[in-house]
Amino acid sequence: MRLALAEAAAAGAADDVPVGAVVLDPSGELIGTGHNLREATADPTAHAEVVALRAAAAARGEWRLTGCTLVVTLEPCTMCAGAVVLSRVDRLVFGAYDDRLGAAGSLWDVVRDRRLNHRPEVVAGVLAEESQELLDGFFARHR
């Protein structure tokens, strides 16, 4: 999570919402990193999770990230939760809950929907305070 927090700080420094993500392979090796790049790329899909999942898939040379863990500082939105399911990530670890857009237990629970073909393990609230502080500081400066 500390690596994901560093990615989130990089997003904040680039004037984007400070969310960061990393992907670890089954042995724990870092194979993908990402932070929000929506402002820099004018891409509405450039969320930290999507950026990190794309990097991990490129590193592995395949889209299936079976056995991998996605660590992200903020609970994924519906788009990102869908990407977690579709990429076959085995474990999702996140920091702060997102009561407004969260899709891993807060508002929706896409990642554990029994109708879907894949349901990763979810570990929530890891370093949640640090994650939330980055977000609170960013939005306090922008309001």
Side-chain angles (χ1 to χ4, degrees), residues 53-122:
L53 290 170
R54 286 177 179 160
R60 285 187 101 180
E62 65 175 317
W63 63 267
R64 289 176 190 87
L65 298 177
T66 306
C68 293
T69 299
L70 172 67
V71 180
V72 60
T73 58
L74 181 64
E75 179 183 4
C77 68
T78 54
M79 176 184 70
C80 293
V84 168
V85 170
L86 293 173
S87 68
R88 310 296 197 272
V89 166
D90 280 3
R91 183 175 304 102
L92 166 64
V93 178
F94 70 86
Y97 281 93
D98 186 348
D99 294 332
R100 203 171 52 89
L101 297 171
S106 287
L107 190 55
W108 297 286
D109 204 351
V110 171
V111 295
R112 288 180 280 221
D113 190 317
R114 293 175 49 199
R115 296 168 293 183
L116 299 177
N117 66 332
H118 180 74
R119 290 175 298 282
E121 172 189 359
V122 177

Side-chain angles (χ1 to χ4, degrees), residues 10-76:
D15 211 28
D16 209 329
V17 177
V19 178
V22 298
V23 178
L24 307 171
D25 75 5
S27 71
E29 182 180 338
L30 181 68
I31 60 168
T33 64
H35 56 268
N36 275 356
L37 292 172
R38 293 177 310 159
E39 298 298 332
T41 62
D43 178 357
T45 69
H47 289 203
E49 300 95 325
V50 172
V51 173
L53 290 170
R54 286 177 179 160
R60 285 187 101 180
E62 65 175 317
W63 63 267
R64 289 176 190 87
L65 298 177
T66 306
C68 293
T69 299
L70 172 67
V71 180
V72 60
T73 58
L74 181 64
E75 179 183 4

